[in-house]
Amino acid sequence: MSQPSNTSTASEADIAAAADRLATAISTGVPCDPVRDLIGSDDLVAAYAVQRGVDEIRRNAGAVVVGRKIGLTSVAVQQQLGVDQPDLGVLYADMEFPAGGTIPMNRLLQPKVEAEVAFVLGADLVDGPLDHAQVRDAIEYSVAAIEICDSRIENWDIKFGDTVADNASSGVYVLGTQRRTLAEVEPASVVMSMTVDGVEVSTGVGTACLGDPIEAVVWLARTARDLGQPLTAGQVILSGALGPMAPVGAGNSVTVNVSGFEPVTTSFSSEGDNA
């Protein structure tokens, strides 16, 4: 898979304008127009520059980075957007909600849920080849997870540049409480089922995530280092969907079953109940 190139045709003014557009959508809760009119549909350098700009705005407002997420790990979704690689986004401390709890709908604009295996790193991934063996050794444990994807772009009208700029369409996430080492659960071998209000809406397997969720983290480690933001010990890594995402709304309840882990559940507040 290719890595981000080091050239861009977008101006600094357009990159700043795109970051401001997305930051305004975050602060107001009102979805915005796509940013590809400013930075193009496939200019990765510009898109990640916008992502960094929004990240700087959020950090200046007090947000704390706790990890990374990997998006577009499905070949079908990559083909839909006309790309041959995943993307990455930043995880902040205020994005995590406890398993079994309720997520306030006023934190979200256009939520969709997906099931994943998440990892917590026990070692930095800064130096060395960042190959499968090194990444595997750096993982302290894994958990089943629910990622609630979201888009600041109105109606999910996204191309690759839009979703990269928009922090890989991240929303919030829920980590399961049952920790498993890689000796206990092999991520590539898991089987997943996800239900919304008791109705199965998604199924999948570990190999659906770039062939192996650990290989997704290999890609992430190398790309994050290339971008000057390498992965470090203690960070949470959402490795990518094991099956199709599904839309959710107020009052819905989601349960994710990943073989080898206890089920993970979350609910969404009802309309008018965002406490």
Side-chain angles (χ1 to χ4, degrees):
M1 286 172 289
S2 59
Q3 302 293 314
S5 65
N6 56 9
T7 59
S8 172
T9 58
S11 69
E12 290 186 7
D14 284 341
I15 289 170
D20 286 342
R21 184 181 296 177
L22 290 167
T24 299
I26 293 170
S27 63
T28 63
V30 178
C32 63
D33 290 335
V35 295
R36 57 183 179 269
D37 64 315
L38 295 168
I39 63 169
S41 298
D42 55 7
D43 186 335
L44 277 189
V45 172
Y48 278 114
V50 174
Q51 185 185 118
R52 288 193 299 273
V54 179
D55 175 57
E56 182 176 359
I57 292 170
R58 295 193 67 173
R59 291 196 204 204
N60 288 342
V64 177
V65 174
V66 296
R68 298 287 195 280
K69 66 152 287 184
I70 310 168
L72 303 180
T73 53
S74 161
V75 173
V77 176
Q78 289 181 12
Q79 291 174 343
Q80 183 181 8
L81 293 180
V83 298
D84 65 350
Q85 60 183 294
D87 66 349
L88 65 88
V90 180
L91 300 180
Y92 302 97
D94 67 354
M95 291 169 61
E96 183 177 357
F97 284 83
T102 300
I103 298 171
M105 284 298 293
N106 64 1
R107 278 293 306 271
L108 302 162
L109 281 71
Q110 307 168 101
K112 299 181 179 183
V113 292
E114 59 186 30
E116 308 191 10
V117 174
F119 303 103
V120 173
L121 299 180
D124 295 346
L125 287 170
V126 178
D127 301 313
L130 302 184
D131 57 12
H132 187 99
Q134 182 181 358
V135 168
R136 191 178 182 93
D137 287 345
I139 293 172
E140 183 174 352
Y141 62 86
S142 60
V143 296
I146 303 172
E147 181 181 1
I148 298 87
C149 300
D150 205 1
S151 180
R152 271 52 64 180
I153 309 290
E154 189 170 12
N155 296 322
W156 281 87
D157 177 16
I158 59 172
K159 300 296 185 183
F160 194 43
D162 296 307
T163 187
V164 170
D166 188 25
N167 201 29
S169 300
S170 63
V172 298
Y173 65 94
V174 176
L175 301 180
T177 58
Q178 187 174 43
R179 302 177 178 182
R180 289 285 184 256
T181 67
L182 296 182
E184 294 172 316
V185 174
E186 185 61 52
S189 300
V190 301
V191 177
M192 177 277 293
S193 171
M194 180 171 65
T195 64
V196 175
D197 295 340
V199 178
E200 188 174 69
V201 295
S202 179
T203 60
V205 293
T207 53
C209 180
L210 291 185
D212 183 341
I214 293 177
E215 282 301 313
V217 183
V218 170
W219 175 87
L220 174 67
R222 292 173 175 174
T223 304
R225 183 170 69 178
D226 288 346
L227 292 170
Q229 299 173 320
L231 306 181
T232 56
Q235 288 188 327
V236 176
I237 308 298
L238 297 181
S239 64
L242 303 177
M245 64 173 56
V248 288
N252 285 158
S253 178
V254 178
T255 299
V256 162
N257 286 279
V258 178
S259 57
F261 301 92
E262 293 177 353
V264 185
T265 64
T266 193
S267 297
F268 297 85
S269 63
S270 301
E271 294 291 353
D273 178 19
N274 285 313

